[in-house]
Amino acid sequence: MRKPIIAGNWKLNKTPHEAILLADELKRELVDTTGVDIVVCPPFVDLTDVSDALVDHDIAVGAQNVFWEDAGAFTGEISAPMLKDLGVKYVIIGHSERRQYFYETNETVNKRLRAALKHGLTPIVCVGENLAQRESNKTFDVVKDHCEGSLSGLTKDEIQKIVLAYEPVWAIGTGKTATPQQAQEVHIFIRQLLGKLFDDEIAGSVRIQYGGSVTPDNIVSLMAQADIDGALVGGASLKAPSFAAIVKGAKK
Ligand code: 13P
């Protein structure tokens, strides 16, 4: 039985002051946290304040990226040991916005993933096709390429420590969510691929989130799908009531 996991990706939103207010509000909204793992991923500069605000609460804190080296002359980067030291538990890796705007590739995603695992952070690895790729029937090819490239060389032990997120780029921030059936067919495809790359038992244990215009209105029908184990939420995670409603809707 896979425990549902809902993560909020705050992207480039919330100053430290605003982040503390949102974290405090989330604590009030999410009193009962049983049956679902809850994660918030603020910008780097908010991580200390949000970790402090949530220290006595079950909401875990994640980062939105991590560099692959531990330390050294890499101006502007943030390493896994730095995140660990702040109490960060999760890290989003390979989000489509990083692939699109910051030249992230499967190779760099794989390096970041290994660094995260080495230091005991739980990676949330994002995969997904854009609109042109979907319209030219390349969805499965792209998702396969993202999974195989990003997860390359992982051991059976390591793959069980990650969370995958299927995020069709055309559904991100557009209000155009994938239908539950469209999402499910990619989720089952990913799970079968994991079965081939690792084994069926492991494939059955890895959690796969859906991301792309998830709201309180569509979470229940998405979670009703057999292979959807949670959501990676952008816009609707920026307001405590809508994020809390999504968390509640995710309890299968
Ligand atoms: P939206 O929920 O705003 O579509 O964003 C999804 C996303 O990119 C989460 O990582």
Side-chain angles (χ1 to χ4, degrees):
M1 183 67 184
R2 299 179 298 268
K3 188 177 183 189
I5 174 166
I6 300 296
N9 176 7
W10 294 5
K11 305 192 181 184
L12 182 59
N13 295 290
K14 306 292 175 189
T15 63
H17 180 72
E18 292 165 344
I20 294 169
L21 295 178
L22 178 53
D24 284 341
E25 220 184 319
L26 285 171
K27 282 202 293 192
R28 288 194 295 274
E29 291 271 353
L30 290 165
V31 177
D32 176 15
T33 56
T34 54
V36 55
D37 286 338
I38 310 167
V39 187
V40 291
C41 303
F44 286 127
V45 294
D46 299 342
L47 287 171
T48 304
D49 286 327
V50 172
S51 297
D52 287 349
L54 297 176
V55 74
D56 52 354
H57 200 283
D58 278 340
I59 303 173
V61 178
Q64 297 175 17
N65 192 17
V66 64
F67 191 56
W68 51 84
E69 297 289 346
D70 289 357
F74 302 101
T75 302
E77 294 300 325
I78 304 283
S79 72
M82 293 171 178
L83 296 175
K84 275 297 275 191
D85 196 52
L86 289 181
V88 168
K89 298 272 188 309
Y90 292 82
V91 58
I92 299 170
I93 298 178
H95 191 279
S96 61
E97 286 149 17
R98 299 225 50 96
R99 292 182 189 256
Q100 189 178 351
Y101 305 128
F102 304 100
Y103 314 107
E104 201 77 66
T105 63
N106 286 339
E107 288 70 32
T108 57
V109 170
N110 186 255
K111 285 165 98 165
R112 294 176 203 278
L113 173 55
R114 286 163 182 280
L117 287 169
K118 179 173 149 203
H119 292 285
L121 294 166
T122 299
I124 299 177
V125 181
C126 303
V127 303
E129 82 288 357
N130 63 30
L131 186 60
Q133 291 162 336
R134 173 156 285 259
E135 287 180 341
S136 55
N137 291 322
K138 299 247 168 57
T139 297
F140 295 117
D141 293 340
V142 172
V143 169
K144 182 168 186 272
D145 175 68
H146 282 172
C147 288
E148 287 182 346
S150 305
L151 307 178
S152 169
L154 256 56
T155 64
K156 287 186 177 182
D157 184 48
E158 287 170 331
I159 187 69
Q160 295 178 77
K161 296 190 172 132
I162 77 163
V163 176
L164 278 166
Y166 168 56
E167 296 209 312
V169 179
W170 49 271
I172 294 177
T174 58
K176 228 171 90 176
T177 184
T179 64
Q181 294 71 26
Q182 279 176 321
Q184 167 61 19
E185 68 177 13
V186 179
H187 280 235
I188 184 89
F189 173 81
I190 294 171
R191 206 174 296 290
Q192 285 166 352
L193 181 64
L194 293 176
K196 284 183 209 143
L197 296 174
F198 300 94
D199 67 43
D200 286 344
E201 196 185 329
I202 288 173
S205 71
V206 174
R207 293 184 291 182
I208 309 173
Q209 296 176 309
Y210 167 79
S213 299
V214 174
T215 66
D217 293 333
N218 58 29
I219 186 66
V220 174
S221 58
L222 287 162
M223 291 300 292
Q225 302 299 312
D227 291 282
I228 298 182
D229 307 315
L232 185 52
V233 186
S237 72
L238 297 175
K239 295 227 158 62
S242 55
F243 189 65
I246 290 171
V247 169
K248 284 167 197 156
K251 295 188 187 190
K252 284 208 183 189

